[in-house]
Amino acid sequence: MGLGFDHTKYKTILFLDTNAVLETKPLDQLPWTEIDPDGPVLLLFVPQVLREIDRLKRDGRVAKRARSFNRLIKPAATNGHPVTLCGDIPRVDLFMAQTGKIDWAQLDDLDPDEPDAKVVAQVIHAIGVPNEKKLFLAYDINPVGMASRHDIKVKSLAEHWLLEPEPSPQEKELKKARQRIALLETNQPEMRASLAFEVSEPLMLYRVVTLNTHEQEILFDHIYQVHPKRQQERSLYYSAYDHDSGYDDRYAAYRDERLPAYTAGVHKILEDYYSQIPFRLTVSNDGHIQAENLIVKLTAKDGQLRERFRSDYVWGPPAPTPRTGYFAHLNVPRLDPADMIRPPPNRHEVIPAYALGRTATAEFQCGDFRHGREWVYEGVARVFLDSSQPFVIEIEVTASNMRGSKKTRSTVDFVVKDAKISELVDIVDHRFVVRFPMQSGYEKAVRNEHWDWFETLSHEDDD
């Protein structure tokens, strides 16, 4: 079997000691230009080095590096040719050296039972490389001295070639103990808060052009025809309770007040639809101390914060209908769920400090926010068209057992474009021409009849 390499093709031939593989940075990251700036360079490994590395494949400290080296040199063992480690200048190849039979009698200063002596002896008896071209690379003084005594050129590994020294087992245990002590000495929660806008950037907002007088009249006529006044039955077969005496007045107010107000302000309704964006707030306690009397405050710069999507009559307000039956004539106030008595909140529950309306701030409170807990809130932000860039929501988290507060902010860039109503929606066909940021959630809520997803404007005349 041939040698698999021609030493005359290589300007520098290096024999590496075991430590030159296991104690240095990865071979392909070493500065080989310090050995030979031009190359090519051949790295040779004698059998003793390969055996020592192979035995260390399960050694906890160097097992990973030993297995990595074996994978690197395996192709050379398979096909009998050098493996290219670095293709740049200098080119670096690596291969396995072949050695002849060692005459230990002529090497009487070397101990055949000593691993370092075996490595040096095999370098001396390496086949195919003249002694004057051999260069032995090692870090330890003992093998370097042995090779020098036998006229082998040597080079010691530079300190910056070596890996950072690993801490001893005692140092590792001490570090773990210090970390445990630091954790136990922590007397305040480790709060973390983040807010993500669930929109693509840059966000497109629309400044909607007001309908002129003629356009308002056309829209008025269309809605008026879609919602005509209903005729009430009057006969002996219908009791007085089946006739709504107030219907005429309510419909007149619808025709004379609500419809004109809608046609004059529908552009504002659309601006509101297209400038509402969803956000997701995540608050977590990453420490081992609970947060007592936690307060999470959100502040929108040039915008509003809302609990739900604000929905209005995009396609025109519905007309009132006659009220029939005995109870239709009684002035019974409608029940507002917000006015109903609610049980006191649990100390671990995160609740709004006040009703979240169309304001620039929102605040949430929790009496006991346990360690390891994560709380997620999904809300809605309204971006003002004339606000400065970008849109910002500031988050401040504090607790009674925290020193100071944690503050962060989230931003989203946006672009404002002028648009006509007809460019955004088709009011006649009840169709959005351009999708608004929260349309996917809007359509899902309508499809599943999740009406609590909406903040619907209430009108006294709605039936």
Side-chain angles (χ1 to χ4, degrees):
M1 180 177 177
L3 294 177
F5 73 93
D6 179 3
H7 74 84
T8 61
K9 294 181 180 180
Y10 295 95
K11 183 181 175 184
T12 300
I13 298 179
L14 280 172
F15 288 82
L16 271 65
D17 187 21
T18 306
N19 285 341
V21 175
L22 300 180
E23 303 295 341
T24 62
K25 298 170 184 176
L27 293 177
D28 59 348
Q29 298 178 19
L30 293 175
W32 296 110
T33 53
E34 296 181 6
I35 302 291
D36 187 337
D38 303 317
V41 176
L42 177 64
L43 308 182
L44 287 177
F45 302 90
V46 296
Q48 177 64 23
V49 169
L50 296 176
R51 282 194 292 269
E52 290 179 4
I53 293 176
D54 196 59
R55 282 199 301 267
L56 294 171
K57 286 189 298 184
R58 297 188 179 276
D59 184 279
R61 189 178 69 88
V62 296
K64 185 176 180 181
R65 293 195 288 276
R67 290 195 297 268
S68 177
F69 174 79
N70 280 351
R71 288 193 299 269
L72 189 64
I73 204 168
K74 184 177 180 180
T78 303
N79 57 38
H81 295 284
V83 174
T84 298
L85 182 68
C86 305
D88 298 330
I89 298 177
R91 174 183 170 180
V92 180
D93 293 345
L94 55 109
F95 196 53
M96 299 172 297
Q98 294 185 26
T99 60
K101 185 176 180 180
I102 299 174
D103 185 358
W104 290 102
Q106 295 183 4
L107 304 174
D108 55 356
D109 62 327
L110 301 182
D111 184 354
D113 295 326
E114 184 183 355
D116 285 345
K118 289 182 180 180
V119 171
V120 173
Q122 290 178 1
V123 171
I124 295 171
H125 288 79
I127 299 173
V129 183
N131 280 349
E132 61 270 15
K133 287 200 67 175
K134 296 176 181 177
L135 178 60
F136 183 55
L137 184 65
Y139 180 70
D140 295 335
I141 297 299
N142 189 40
V144 168
M146 294 178 186
S148 297
R149 292 198 302 271
H150 290 270
D151 299 324
I152 301 294
K153 290 183 291 184
V154 297
K155 187 171 182 61
S156 296
L157 282 170
E159 292 291 336
H160 62 276
W161 284 42
L162 302 176
L163 293 166
E164 293 296 327
E166 294 187 3
S168 65
Q170 294 81 3
E171 290 173 330
K172 291 180 179 179
E173 288 300 322
L174 182 59
K175 182 179 179 180
K176 290 181 181 179
R178 287 172 176 170
Q179 290 174 341
R180 288 194 294 267
I181 293 172
L183 185 63
L184 293 173
E185 288 179 345
T186 302
N187 58 5
Q188 63 175 337
E190 295 181 19
M191 301 304 302
R192 178 171 53 88
S194 62
L195 187 145
F197 294 102
E198 299 179 325
V199 294
S200 57
E201 294 190 60
L203 173 67
M204 180 64 72
L205 304 181
Y206 295 94
R207 183 179 287 105
V208 185
V209 179
T210 309
L211 293 176
N212 59 38
T213 303
H214 179 64
E215 291 169 333
Q216 291 183 35
E217 291 174 353
I218 295 175
L219 181 58
F220 179 94
D221 292 339
H222 165 71
I223 298 176
Y224 187 61
Q225 292 175 9
V226 173
H227 300 288
K229 183 180 178 182
R230 298 189 184 183
Q231 298 297 323
Q232 299 191 76
E233 295 288 345
R234 282 182 175 275
S235 69
L236 295 176
Y237 299 103
Y238 288 85
S239 66
Y241 294 117
D242 292 318
H243 180 79
D244 184 358
S245 59
Y247 174 65
D248 291 345
D249 292 337
R250 294 202 314 278
Y251 191 86
Y254 169 77
R255 179 193 61 217
D256 301 335
E257 298 175 12
R258 290 192 63 190
L259 276 186
Y262 163 76
T263 57
V266 63
H267 65 289
K268 290 296 182 183
I269 296 175
L270 287 176
E271 284 183 355
D272 197 36
Y273 265 65
Y274 282 89
S275 61
Q276 293 181 84
I277 58 176
F279 67 83
R280 183 182 180 90
L281 171 68
T282 303
V283 178
S284 62
N285 185 350
D286 298 335
H288 73 285
I289 300 293
Q290 76 276 12
E292 299 174 358
N293 301 315
L294 176 71
I295 295 177
V296 181
K297 184 177 181 181
L298 305 181
T299 303
K301 299 297 183 180
D302 296 324
Q304 294 177 343
L305 299 176
R306 301 171 179 176
E307 183 178 9
R308 294 171 292 171
F309 180 82
R310 184 192 183 199
S311 175
D312 205 343
Y313 297 119
V314 176
W315 321 120
T321 57
R323 300 169 181 169
T324 58
Y326 175 78
F327 292 101
H329 294 268
L330 297 179
N331 186 21
V332 180
R334 299 180 181 179
L335 291 177
D336 187 345
D339 297 332
M340 299 176 66
I341 299 176
R342 300 180 61 185
N346 187 292
R347 273 184 54 80
H348 306 293
E349 182 182 359
V350 181
I351 59 172
Y354 44 80
L356 197 62
R358 294 180 291 278
T359 60
T361 60
E363 188 174 298
F364 303 91
Q365 299 176 347
C366 180
D368 186 348
F369 195 90
R370 291 299 177 90
H371 60 281
R373 181 182 175 188
E374 181 178 88
W375 173 71
V376 177
Y377 175 79
E378 295 180 346
V380 181
R382 161 78 191 281
V383 183
F384 291 164
L385 299 181
D386 297 325
S387 64
S388 58
Q389 291 276 9
F391 176 67
V392 178
I393 293 182
E394 295 179 345
I395 309 108
E396 182 178 8
V397 181
T398 188
S400 60
N401 60 337
M402 275 180 62
R403 292 187 292 273
S405 62
K406 291 277 186 76
K407 296 181 180 180
T408 185
R409 62 192 338 239
S410 293
T411 64
V412 60
D413 292 318
F414 63 91
V415 176
V416 179
K417 180 181 178 181
D418 292 334
K420 296 180 180 180
I421 291 176
S422 59
E423 295 174 337
L424 300 177
V425 298
D426 186 335
I427 294 179
V428 175
D429 291 340
H430 294 190
R431 181 173 62 88
F432 290 96
V433 177
V434 176
R435 295 183 66 85
F436 55 92
M438 298 189 67
Q439 188 163 338
S440 296
Y442 175 98
E443 293 171 345
K444 182 179 179 181
V446 171
R447 186 168 57 251
N448 298 324
E449 298 185 354
H450 292 166
W451 307 122
D452 56 350
W453 190 84
F454 300 91
E455 175 199 339
T456 305
L457 298 182
S458 62
H459 297 276
E460 293 181 359
D461 294 335
D462 293 345
D463 293 295

